[in-house]
Amino acid sequence: MENVKDLFHQFVDELKNEERKKTVVVAAEKFYSEIENSSEEIRDPVDLEEILRSSKTGKEKKRDLLLRFYRFYENKTGIAVESDLEDKVVVDNSQERLFAILQYTQTHPIEVEAMADFFMTSTKSMGKIAASLENGQKLMGKEIKIPIEREGWKRYSKVSYHPILLNLTMPEVTAMTIGLMEAAKDEKLYSDQFIKIAKDVYNSLTNYGKGCLSKLIKDKGIADAFNREIRDYEYSITDNIIAMMKTGKPGTIQINSNGTDYLFIDCYVISDEGESIQIRTKNGKEKWFPISDVYSCECHMDRKDDFE
C-alpha cells in the first residue's frame, strides 16, 4: 500500500495546478500540515478522519477535501476507501451545530460517544454539550434545558425542542398551531393572521415536526385548512420513496410506528404493496412499514462535488 501521507501530498500538489479556488488550496495545505504534525498512526486513508475530528477550524471544507481525497486515492491505488464520513454531520458554526444536535435528540438517545462520532467531535466536547443541555444552555438569548430520562447508561430527552422554534417543544408547537386555528373560527378580525401564522409555523418545521403535526391536525378535523401544506409534505415523501425504488439508490427514512421512532440511514426501499413499503437496512435486515408511518424520506442521489 502506498504511503497515505505521500499520496495526500500529491493530492495537494494537483489541487495547486488544477483548482481555481484559492481558499480550497489553502484549506488543503492547512489540513496536510495537520497530518504532518499529528501523532496519529496513519496506515489507511480513514485514519485521517481522527485528525479531522480533532481539527479546530474549517472542518466542513476539510471534510469535503477528505472525501475528494478518497476518490483520488482510489484512482491512484485501485483500492476503494470504506468510510461513512459522508453520512456524518460536520458543522463549523457552534450555533448551527447546536441546532443540529437538538434535532438529533428528537429521535436518538443522548449517547455521548455515538453523538461525538456522528458530529465528528471529541467525546470530551460532546460530553460538555450534553451536560449543558441538561443543565441549561443559552442559544440566541434563549435558555434550552432538556430534562433527561436515564435507562442504565443511556440517556433520553424527555422533551423534543424544535431547532427552528428554539424554546418550544413539539407539544407546545402543536398547541400553538391548533390553538391559532381554533381561535380563527371565532375571532374574525384576526382570523387571516392566525391562519397565516399557523401555516408559517407548519412550513418552518422539519419533516419530523410536520409528521407529528399533520396527524394531530387530521385528528382535530382541521386538515382542510392545511390541505395544500399537508399534500405537499406527503407528496415529497411519496416522490422520494418512488425515486429510491426506481433508481435503487439508498436514502434516509424516518418512521414513527406505534409510538416508536426509527431512523434508517443508507437504507433501501425494495418493495411496496400499495400502502406499505419494505425497507432493507444497511445491515441487511428487512421490515415492512405502512407508508402513513413515514415522517421523512430523502433519496440519496449522486452527490455533486462542490469543487468540480
Side-chain angles (χ1 to χ4, degrees):
M1 182 182 293
E2 293 191 53
N3 185 282
V4 175
K5 287 185 180 181
D6 290 343
L7 282 174
F8 198 93
H9 190 265
Q10 291 181 36
F11 170 66
V12 174
D13 285 341
E14 289 196 13
L15 282 179
K16 290 178 182 178
N17 296 326
E18 299 174 4
E19 181 58 58
R20 289 172 292 178
K21 296 179 181 179
K22 185 178 179 180
T23 55
V24 174
V25 176
V26 171
E29 289 176 330
K30 287 182 178 178
F31 194 23
Y32 178 68
S33 178
E34 290 176 25
I35 293 169
E36 280 283 273
N37 295 325
S38 173
S39 60
E40 295 283 344
E41 185 176 13
I42 301 171
R43 295 184 176 181
D44 190 272
V46 294
D47 294 335
L48 298 177
E49 293 180 17
E50 285 306 309
I51 300 173
L52 174 64
R53 188 184 302 278
S54 61
S55 186
K56 301 298 182 184
T57 60
K59 292 177 74 165
E60 292 180 58
K61 190 163 288 183
K62 291 171 186 174
R63 187 272 301 273
D64 290 338
L65 281 166
L66 188 50
L67 289 171
R68 191 170 173 180
F69 171 67
Y70 286 166
R71 294 194 293 275
F72 174 90
Y73 181 89
E74 184 174 352
N75 289 336
K76 291 290 185 180
T77 65
I79 301 172
V81 179
E82 298 293 332
S83 169
D84 60 354
L85 179 60
E86 197 161 359
D87 297 328
K88 305 293 177 64
V89 174
V90 181
V91 184
D92 288 327
N93 183 279
S94 60
Q95 298 282 285
E96 291 179 9
R97 188 186 309 115
L98 191 52
F99 288 153
I101 290 171
L102 287 171
Q103 186 172 347
Y104 177 95
T105 61
Q106 289 181 335
T107 53
H108 296 76
I110 301 175
E111 299 177 65
V112 171
E113 288 189 4
M115 292 170 68
D117 178 64
F118 187 70
F119 290 98
M120 289 299 291
T121 67
S122 67
T123 53
K124 182 178 179 181
S125 295
M126 187 55 69
K128 289 181 178 178
I129 293 173
S132 72
L133 288 175
E134 184 172 10
N135 298 324
Q137 166 73 44
K138 287 287 186 180
L139 180 59
M140 296 180 68
K142 301 285 187 179
E143 184 179 69
I144 303 296
K145 191 171 184 179
I146 298 181
I148 300 297
E149 182 177 276
R150 287 172 168 76
E151 182 181 311
W153 57 273
K154 291 186 178 181
R155 293 182 290 178
Y156 297 86
S157 169
K158 286 186 178 180
V159 298
S160 175
Y161 278 100
H162 195 278
I164 302 301
L165 295 169
L166 301 180
N167 211 20
L168 294 179
T169 65
M170 281 308 304
E172 289 171 334
V173 171
T174 301
M176 179 177 68
T177 308
I178 293 178
L180 285 167
M181 295 303 296
E182 294 292 341
K185 295 178 182 178
D186 302 320
E187 185 51 74
K188 302 302 180 185
L189 181 61
Y190 296 104
S191 62
D192 290 344
Q193 289 92 329
F194 287 169
I195 293 171
K196 180 182 182 304
I197 293 171
K199 290 186 176 183
D200 286 346
V201 169
Y202 181 93
N203 288 327
S204 75
L205 298 172
T206 59
N207 277 348
Y208 175 84
K210 287 179 180 177
C212 291
L213 195 51
S214 294
K215 290 185 177 182
L216 289 168
I217 286 172
K218 290 177 181 179
D219 291 343
K220 292 289 185 179
I222 56 175
D224 287 347
F226 285 83
N227 182 57
R228 189 182 70 179
E229 287 75 18
I230 293 177
R231 181 196 62 200
D232 290 346
Y233 156 68
E234 291 178 343
Y235 278 1
S236 71
I237 290 176
T238 303
D239 289 346
N240 275 280
I241 289 174
I242 291 172
M244 288 178 67
M245 291 194 64
K246 284 186 174 180
T247 64
K249 298 285 185 182
T252 296
I253 296 180
Q254 192 168 341
I255 292 171
N256 183 283
S257 181
N258 297 320
T260 301
D261 279 318
Y262 298 87
L263 179 65
F264 301 112
I265 298 174
D266 284 343
C267 67
Y268 294 84
V269 177
I270 58 175
S271 185
D272 80 293
E273 289 185 356
E275 296 181 356
S276 298
I277 56 172
Q278 188 177 22
I279 293 173
R280 177 185 293 143
T281 69
K282 61 182 178 182
N283 296 326
K285 296 181 180 179
E286 298 177 2
K287 189 173 179 64
W288 285 90
F289 289 98
I291 293 178
S292 59
D293 286 347
V294 179
Y295 273 27
S296 64
C297 177
E298 178 185 357
C299 179
H300 297 170
M301 304 302 287
D302 289 337
R303 185 172 186 262
K304 184 177 179 181
D305 196 324
D306 294 334
F307 304 119
E308 292 179 350

